[in-house]
Amino acid sequence: MTSTLKIEREGHVARVTLNRPDVRNAFNEGVIAELTETFAALGQDLTLRAIVLAAEGKAFCAGADLNWMKAMAGYSWDENHADASRLAEMLWTLYSCPVPVIARVQGDVYAGGVGLVSVCDMVVAVEGAGFCLSEAKLGLLPATIGPYVVRALGEQASRRYFVTAERFGAAEAHRLGLVHELATPETLDAKVQGLVDALCTNGPAAVRACKRLVQDVAHREITPQLRDDTARRIADIRASAEGREGVQSFLNKAKPSWLA
């Protein structure tokens, strides 16, 4: 436990739960610092194969905490920049975490919360959850979360929802690709567990390499340098102990050690 998070570990899976239901799990400097520290540490644990990011209460994350916003109202430009930089570092730490992260979205997601969902690798949301990039209503913009939201939601949808600050439902988020799986409250945990089980079936190093591959090749021009880079990556993993074991286990119809 931290002051804002509940952290649990079972086997090869960690669960990080936002634990401020009284304020709809809104961000403040403490939440940001603890998420950054927690995911930096989890990312270095080579025995981990999956992380589930969840939340207590009715909302997944309501964006910025009101008391935090009141404090920011009096900040200078330099103070605002330093504050936003800490949020940017937190988002990057989650996005670049070597371990796949699954968001378990049990309720509404607003503003910075959409950014938090967008940095996760897989998103399972209940059908009744609502999403809103509400910053423009306050005369602000979703700048720090923007690079991740545009990647996850898509440029064309972001053109709309950034400027209108409209609320959209989980079904629309699913259609646009922000949400991977829809669930009822009763099936939410089973759908999350299905993804966890799929991750734990695969080679641990291969899963991390696959996650990094997507991040490194997305939107890049397919140049000779990129083609050589991908050839080197597959050569590296074929020659690795895990790669050799995986192929031999398949050929011999045996279980590799990571399934033992």
Side-chain angles (χ1 to χ4, degrees), residues 33-53:
E34 289 177 8
L35 279 171
T36 304
E37 181 179 351
T38 296
F39 275 84
L42 292 175
Q44 294 180 31
D45 186 341
L46 295 179
T47 67
L48 266 184
R49 300 194 198 173
I51 302 171
V52 176
L53 179 62

Side-chain angles (χ1 to χ4, degrees), residues 52-163:
V52 176
L53 179 62
E56 294 285 357
K58 293 183 178 180
F60 180 78
C61 180
D65 179 279
L66 290 177
N67 290 323
W68 188 39
M69 290 177 68
K70 288 177 184 176
M72 287 188 289
Y75 280 5
S76 66
W77 187 95
D78 287 337
E79 289 170 325
N80 271 299
H81 181 251
D83 187 76
S85 295
R86 287 188 286 270
L87 176 58
E89 181 64 20
M90 182 270 282
L91 293 166
W92 174 252
T93 301
L94 269 73
Y95 177 77
S96 61
C97 179
V99 185
V101 182
I102 304 167
R104 178 192 180 275
V105 179
Q106 90 296 355
D108 286 349
V109 188
Y110 278 77
V114 181
L116 190 59
V117 167
S118 297
V119 298
C120 295
D121 301 292
M122 286 150 275
V123 180
V124 183
V126 293
E127 294 164 350
F131 295 78
C132 185
L133 292 151
S134 55
E135 286 86 350
K137 289 183 181 294
L138 306 181
L140 303 174
L141 80 168
T144 315
I145 67 174
Y148 308 102
V149 177
V150 171
R151 281 171 170 79
L153 190 62
E155 180 181 350
Q156 202 64 4
S158 297
R159 285 174 183 268
R160 172 178 177 174
Y161 291 114
F162 276 28
V163 300

